[in-house]
Amino acid sequence: MLGDYSLSDLGSIFVMQGFAGLILFSVFLLMALGLAIIFGQMGVINMAHGEFMILGAYMTYLTSKLFETYLPALFPGYFFVAMIVAFLAAALLGAMVEWALISRLYKRPLDTMLATWGLSLILQQLYRSIFGAREVGVELPPWMLGSWQITSTIEVPINGMFVMALTAVITAGVALLIYKSRLGRQVRAVVQNRVMAGAVGIDTQKVDRATFALGCGIAGIAGSAFTMVGSTGPTAGQLYIVDSFLVVVFGGAQSLIGTIASAFTISQSRSTLEFFTSGSMAQVATLIGVVVILMLRPQGLFATKVRR
Amino acid sequence: MKLRGDNALFRRSELLGLLAFATLILVMLPAALDIFRLNLVGKYLTYAFVTIGLVVCWGYAGILSLGQGIFFGLGGYCMAMFLKLEASSVENTKIQSTPGIPDFMDWNQLTALPWFWKPFENLGVTLAAVVLVPTLFAFIIGAAMFKRRVGGVYFAIITQAVALILTILIVGQQGYTGGINGITDLRTLKGWDIRSDGAKLTLYYIECGLLLAAIVATQLVTRSKLGRILVAMRDKEDRVRFSGYSVSSFKIFAFCFAAALAALGGAMFTLQVGFMSPSFVGIVPSIEMVIYTAVGGRSSILGSVCGALLVNFAKTRLSESFPELWLFGLGALFVVVVLSFPEGLAGVYRSSAPRLARSFVAKLRALWRTPMTRSLDHELAE
């Protein structure tokens, strides 16, 4: 199979495949970040996480349409507004869901899983009723089209580069927020010992709501970034949910570094395998690998010790 | 004194419930419905096998499996493979470039039957495989996970991932599995046409018999000491472990038991509906099966069966007439049940039935008494 390519061709393929893997890595990481906050910090399984991403994607779509119609002059910059809109919409919905559903189920984690699945069904149908069953795509601003020619055989699409940069910025922001800010300190305190955190005067209920809303907001931004590299349909969220859960669990639920490392491992192995076999078999092989490793090491790659 | 009190296999109310249910599915439904609708009921009842298994696995042992579709599908596929091989005899497949192999293999340029299809030429082996293959698979997953004390949400996510893996495999390996369309065009079982009305009726009764047997078997499990250990494990796992019980073995048992029942349901599904496809294996059907159980009542055997029947019935009716509303309804139903009725319909019944019965009896008494007292009054007046 490899005999047909010259050595430099192989090098180029390797680099391009690596970039494809990096873009997949960014997407995985963006998906998993919100989950890592909600699942890792709060222990809540949000099966509707994919639908929050799709909400962000649809918000981006709406914003792009609005800019196209009313503010064509500012169209090249619409994406930055769209991300803020996506974040706010998803965070607002998240806060409402936390109030209505999650806060009543903290003692029953398995039931949270089921209730949020019900929520995801409702949201899916809502998207289908509002935006139609067909997938919608976003018109990219002109500066994001095209690609960056490195050598005659290697080229990298600019929208992919943009998603990668965005991921880096958001990850850094989340890390700062969790490890340096007041809210982050409170969140970690509540995770480590809820009762004691409450005893020293932290409003655990408020922290929970803020954490959940933040996680959902980041999912919204992830969805917004998705529109750069693919189209959006009402049921697209379901395709990603298992992958993103595996990324978080594989990394070790409480660890941000672990989430980054596992997103990298999973995406790279998948895109490398994709070169050798079909796409579906690459996905199967990666999933099996992750499941087997999780069976051997249930706490994930980077586990932090937490007193329960 | 085995017959009275808590030691009996069935409490009186449970026995009445089971008898009522048996009358419903064995007498009333066949009398009231035409064969098409009855076949539909048969299809719904195949999910009842899964929900009974989930009662043991989830309701009693506290293990939420989001991958029951795996076992339902494996059982169904085992059955379908036998039927497909019988349907693709050399005479039936003369026009293919390789006669004697299933049509989808021929379309995918396979020239010989793959080795794992060979055992399914034999009915006895197939029937054993229907139960054994999924149970063995459940044992492997369960042993790997529970021995390492993986449980709760982690277990749920892993079972979901396995369901996804299996679906992608089935869809991707079209030449070996029939791909996204599944295994279709199944005709006869040992020469007996399973598509005729008579066969459908017979299969329905066979299924009802199996289901009633499964209910009794599950009742045996839940009413025994084993069932109590499962409940104890669900509520305080560490205490059970410290008392010297092997928690992982009990969990593996519960998971395998549920898998075997699901597989039985899957095989009956193939026989009744006449095909099997990956759309009954994946994440969505697996979670729907959990929904049936949650709606019916996760710790009530009969409740969960009713859940499977009612939700499926509503699904058919609503998605026929209001396809848009169905997903809203299902989602809302699920949210409401989980939030407000964690014990499902059975819980509602249990908490309100005695009160309703009492008020009903009181009303009857009042009705009965009124004319008598009146006449008494009259007599006294005279």
Side-chain angles (χ1 to χ4, degrees):
Chain A
M1 180 176 87
L2 297 176
D4 302 340
Y5 300 101
S6 75
L7 207 61
S8 71
D9 278 349
L10 273 179
S12 310
I13 288 171
F14 186 72
V15 171
M16 303 256 289
Q17 208 68 21
F19 265 108
L22 279 181
I23 293 170
L24 192 65
F25 161 61
S26 314
V27 168
F28 272 16
L29 185 55
L30 274 180
M31 293 190 305
L33 268 183
L35 264 189
I37 291 173
I38 295 173
F39 177 52
Q41 306 296 325
M42 301 168 73
V44 167
I45 302 266
N46 182 14
M47 297 295 276
H49 194 76
E51 276 62 40
F52 280 97
M53 293 199 291
I54 300 307
L55 177 68
Y58 276 124
M59 284 299 141
T60 312
Y61 170 72
L62 282 184
T63 318
S64 80
K65 284 276 170 254
L66 279 180
F67 268 72
E68 220 171 78
T69 334
Y70 298 108
L71 292 167
L74 295 176
F75 186 71
Y78 84 87
F79 189 69
F80 299 97
V81 181
M83 276 198 318
I84 297 169
V85 173
F87 177 84
L88 289 179
L92 193 69
L93 184 65
M96 273 157 55
V97 166
E98 204 277 347
W99 169 75
L101 275 183
I102 315 282
S103 62
R104 287 149 218 262
L105 295 170
Y106 278 123
K107 297 218 170 86
R108 297 187 273 152
L110 290 178
D111 286 9
T112 318
M113 207 167 180
L114 302 178
T116 47
W117 177 265
L119 177 71
S120 83
L121 290 181
I122 297 175
L123 287 178
Q124 272 173 34
Q125 188 55 46
L126 206 62
Y127 298 151
R128 200 173 289 137
S129 305
I130 297 174
F131 298 101
R134 291 181 58 184
E135 299 203 333
V136 295
V138 168
E139 185 109 2
L140 288 179
W143 59 271
M144 244 187 246
L145 298 171
S147 55
W148 180 36
Q149 201 86 20
I150 303 175
T151 68
S152 59
T153 45
I154 302 176
E155 54 177 8
V156 184
I158 290 179
N159 56 358
M161 298 281 289
F162 183 79
V163 171
M164 276 154 64
L166 187 69
T167 311
V169 170
I170 291 172
T171 313
V174 169
L176 274 180
L177 197 67
I178 298 277
Y179 294 108
K180 294 287 177 217
S181 77
R182 192 181 160 76
L183 174 70
R185 210 157 43 237
Q186 291 183 341
V187 168
R188 282 179 293 139
V190 172
V191 171
Q192 283 173 10
N193 195 326
R194 178 171 294 266
V195 180
M196 276 313 285
V200 296
I202 296 174
D203 185 346
T204 54
Q205 211 179 357
K206 219 161 107 189
V207 169
D208 282 337
R209 194 152 303 158
T211 319
F212 195 80
L214 179 70
C216 292
I218 291 173
I221 295 187
S224 185
F226 268 4
T227 58
M228 307 278 101
V229 286
S231 49
T232 309
T235 51
Q238 268 191 353
L239 299 175
Y240 300 110
I241 194 73
V242 174
D243 279 327
S244 20
F245 268 119
L246 282 183
V247 167
V248 174
V249 175
F250 186 56
Q254 272 93 16
S255 153
L256 200 59
I257 304 277
T259 306
I260 298 172
S262 83
F264 186 78
T265 319
I266 293 179
S267 59
Q268 286 301 325
S269 57
R270 193 157 135 191
S271 70
T272 314
L273 284 170
E274 242 164 43
F275 179 67
F276 293 107
T277 67
S278 64
S280 65
M281 286 318 284
Q283 200 183 355
V284 165
T286 316
L287 284 173
I288 290 180
V290 170
V291 168
V292 168
I293 292 176
L294 275 180
M295 284 175 174
L296 299 175
R297 197 180 153 78
Q299 69 273 40
L301 292 178
F302 295 77
T304 43
K305 285 214 162 61
V306 171
R307 181 179 295 227
R308 275 174 297 167
Chain B
M1 292 302 282
K2 270 259 162 198
L3 281 174
R4 290 177 60 86
D6 253 13
N7 286 327
L9 177 56
F10 288 96
R11 293 194 194 90
R12 200 174 58 169
S13 61
E14 286 170 340
L15 197 62
L16 282 176
L18 184 64
L19 283 178
F21 176 70
T23 326
L24 177 77
I25 59 170
L26 290 174
V27 183
M28 283 160 71
L29 287 180
L33 300 174
D34 58 75
I35 189 69
F36 173 74
R37 293 274 161 192
L38 193 67
N39 186 239
L40 222 51
V41 173
K43 184 178 142 190
Y44 303 160
L45 284 178
T46 60
Y47 292 118
F49 287 92
V50 187
T51 63
I52 294 173
L54 274 172
V55 166
V56 174
C57 182
W58 179 37
Y60 276 78
I63 309 160
L64 176 58
S65 159
L66 294 183
Q68 290 309 103
I70 304 168
F71 311 117
F72 187 81
L74 280 178
Y77 264 98
C78 285
M79 197 70 229
M81 280 158 89
F82 172 81
L83 296 173
K84 186 71 194 171
L85 282 181
E86 191 173 308
S88 13
S89 62
V90 180
E91 306 89 76
N92 286 343
T93 53
K94 281 197 290 282
I95 48 163
Q96 290 178 182
S97 46
T98 317
I101 63 171
D103 44 12
F104 56 81
M105 290 185 187
D106 195 57
W107 299 333
N108 286 283
Q109 279 91 40
L110 259 66
T111 49
L113 204 60
W115 59 269
F116 61 90
W117 274 75
K118 289 258 159 59
F120 292 97
E121 284 169 342
N122 183 312
L123 181 61
V125 174
T126 304
L127 290 182
V130 158
V131 178
L132 289 182
V133 170
T135 313
L136 195 68
F137 194 54
F139 180 80
I140 294 169
I141 299 177
M145 307 292 295
F146 297 134
K147 289 278 183 210
R148 291 176 186 277
R149 301 192 186 173
V150 179
V153 289
Y154 285 83
F155 185 76
I157 291 174
I158 301 251
T159 49
Q160 198 172 41
V162 176
L164 180 66
I165 291 173
L166 198 64
T167 323
I168 301 175
L169 261 184
I170 293 175
V171 174
Q173 298 300 309
Q174 205 173 8
Y176 299 105
T177 59
I180 189 95
N181 298 323
I183 300 182
T184 53
D185 197 22
L186 308 173
R187 297 168 197 169
T188 54
L189 176 74
K190 285 274 167 199
W192 178 53
D193 190 350
I194 56 167
R195 292 165 304 175
S196 68
D197 285 355
K200 279 182 175 162
L201 195 65
T202 317
L203 282 172
Y204 175 81
Y205 278 115
I206 293 175
E207 184 186 7
C208 289
L210 278 175
L211 185 64
L212 292 174
I215 291 176
V216 173
T218 312
Q219 185 78 10
L220 271 172
V221 169
T222 53
R223 295 289 284 164
S224 66
K225 190 180 164 194
L226 176 63
R228 289 183 191 176
I229 294 173
L230 292 183
V231 171
M233 205 168 69
R234 176 193 71 193
D235 292 340
K236 275 278 179 286
E237 188 176 323
D238 285 337
R239 285 194 195 171
V240 177
R241 187 173 287 129
F242 297 155
S243 309
Y245 292 102
S246 161
V247 166
S248 59
S249 312
F250 285 104
K251 283 192 172 176
I252 293 170
F253 167 79
F255 190 51
C256 289
F257 186 80
L261 282 180
L264 216 55
M268 284 318 293
F269 182 92
T270 306
L271 283 170
Q272 299 244 350
V273 183
F275 76 100
M276 191 72 211
S277 87
S279 58
F280 303 102
V281 178
I283 295 174
V284 176
S286 300
I287 291 197
E288 278 191 12
M289 292 167 192
V290 174
I291 300 185
Y292 308 150
T293 317
V295 169
R298 65 182 75 166
S299 49
S300 160
I301 300 170
L302 271 184
S304 77
V305 174
C306 295
L309 278 178
L310 287 176
V311 177
N312 269 301
F313 182 68
K315 183 179 181 175
T316 312
R317 287 309 285 272
L318 274 179
S319 53
E320 266 171 17
S321 32
F322 315 97
E324 293 237 323
L325 280 179
W326 163 242
L327 272 183
F328 281 129
L330 186 68
L333 178 74
F334 205 22
V335 171
V336 168
V337 163
V338 168
L339 268 185
S340 317
F341 309 102
E343 286 303 317
L345 284 175
V348 176
Y349 174 79
R350 252 180 236 145
S351 60
S352 61
R355 193 156 35 89
L356 278 179
R358 234 176 289 134
S359 73
F360 184 66
V361 170
K363 267 191 197 129
L364 269 187
R365 281 221 181 103
L367 269 178
W368 162 256
R369 202 171 285 156
T370 334
M372 290 219 341
T373 38
R374 257 192 217 135
S375 57
L376 259 174
D377 286 346
H378 280 294
E379 273 171 31
L380 283 173
E382 278 165 14

